[in-house]
Amino acid sequence: MKSVLVYGDSNSWGAEPQPERGVGGRFAPDVRWPGVLQKALGADVQVIAEGLNGRTTCVDDPVEGHHKNGARFLQVAIETHMPLDLVIIKLGTNDLKTRLSMQAGDIADGAGRLADIVLGSATGPQGRAPRVLLVVPAPISKLGWLKEMFEGGTEKSRKLAGEFARAAAARDVPLFDAGSVITSSEVDGIHLDAEAHRILGEALAGRVQSLLAD
């Protein structure tokens, strides 16, 4: 059986779009895009979802805590679930928060740093490194109550695809631009609705199958 780890934030965890602070639940496992991906790939592949609300690529959040730093937990995650054939890294939206002062290039480099952790590990089959797929988050949509938290983030989010492409090319790892197939919900501007989860999971399935077959 092949094993795929999804390392992401609230959109991999399955958070529903939130019309206001504290309002909104979690989609059922088969609605979340990692669950959709699992169904599309079938029983010969295990998809392990490691999503955390508020997770950044590589910076501590002074409000939500240092545990939101994706670089702190990634090594633990890949060793916990080893051997892994593929690690999908889908992070960057939370780095757009104004209080973190990250530019689009910084965010892409943060995602690249996570790729380096995986590629430098021995957590794949026979002690090799797993493959890595970087996924660019969909750009921010119409912000509601999150407008102040993500002030200036919308413009930066539109630059992520180009910057992620640079970071991926530097490491010779494949890239998938989520914004090419989905948009963020206009309920809150950053989360995905159920239809976007379905589209993303199904769109990624073909890419993942080809990577696992190599």
Side-chain angles (χ1 to χ4, degrees):
M1 177 181 287
K2 301 283 188 178
S3 292
V4 177
L5 177 71
V6 172
Y7 195 66
D9 52 26
S10 58
N11 276 321
S12 299
W13 182 82
E16 297 174 348
Q18 302 171 351
E20 57 186 274
R21 186 185 297 273
V23 176
R26 186 181 190 186
F27 288 119
D30 61 341
V31 176
R32 306 168 203 159
W33 75 263
V36 175
L37 176 63
Q38 175 69 81
K39 182 178 179 180
L41 294 175
D44 292 336
V45 179
Q46 179 188 29
V47 177
I48 303 158
E50 279 283 0
L52 175 67
N53 291 325
R55 178 177 281 152
T56 69
T57 58
C58 66
V59 292
D60 295 352
D61 190 313
V63 175
E64 297 185 38
H66 68 271
H67 64 291
K68 301 295 187 179
N69 183 333
R72 289 182 180 271
F73 183 69
L74 180 55
Q75 188 71 42
V76 175
I78 59 178
E79 289 190 20
T80 296
H81 299 292
M82 66 186 289
L84 295 165
D85 296 279
L86 175 67
V87 177
I88 301 175
I89 298 171
K90 184 182 179 297
L91 289 168
T93 299
N94 289 298
D95 300 61
L96 294 165
K97 291 173 180 174
T98 306
R99 63 175 175 259
L100 300 181
S101 301
M102 295 278 277
Q103 303 302 313
D106 299 330
I107 297 168
D109 289 338
R113 178 179 170 189
L114 299 181
D116 291 340
I117 291 172
V118 177
L119 296 172
S121 76
T123 57
Q126 289 83 51
R128 301 189 301 269
R131 298 202 66 178
V132 172
L133 174 61
L134 284 181
V135 178
V136 187
I140 290 176
S141 182
K142 181 180 178 181
L143 290 168
W145 67 274
L146 289 165
K147 184 176 182 179
E148 182 177 0
M149 187 183 297
F150 285 88
E151 185 176 359
T154 301
E155 182 180 355
K156 294 177 187 178
S157 73
R158 295 169 181 156
K159 299 177 181 178
L160 289 180
E163 293 292 349
F164 269 63
R166 171 187 57 78
R171 295 162 174 82
D172 195 26
V173 299
L175 182 76
F176 185 91
D177 180 8
S180 68
V181 295
I182 60 170
T183 57
S184 301
S185 171
E186 291 192 356
V187 171
D188 63 12
I190 63 169
H191 291 114
L192 307 180
D193 61 22
E195 180 66 2
H197 275 274
R198 182 191 66 78
I199 293 171
L200 179 59
E202 292 179 353
L204 278 169
R207 191 67 180 276
V208 170
Q209 285 175 328
S210 65
L211 291 172
L212 294 177
D214 285 350

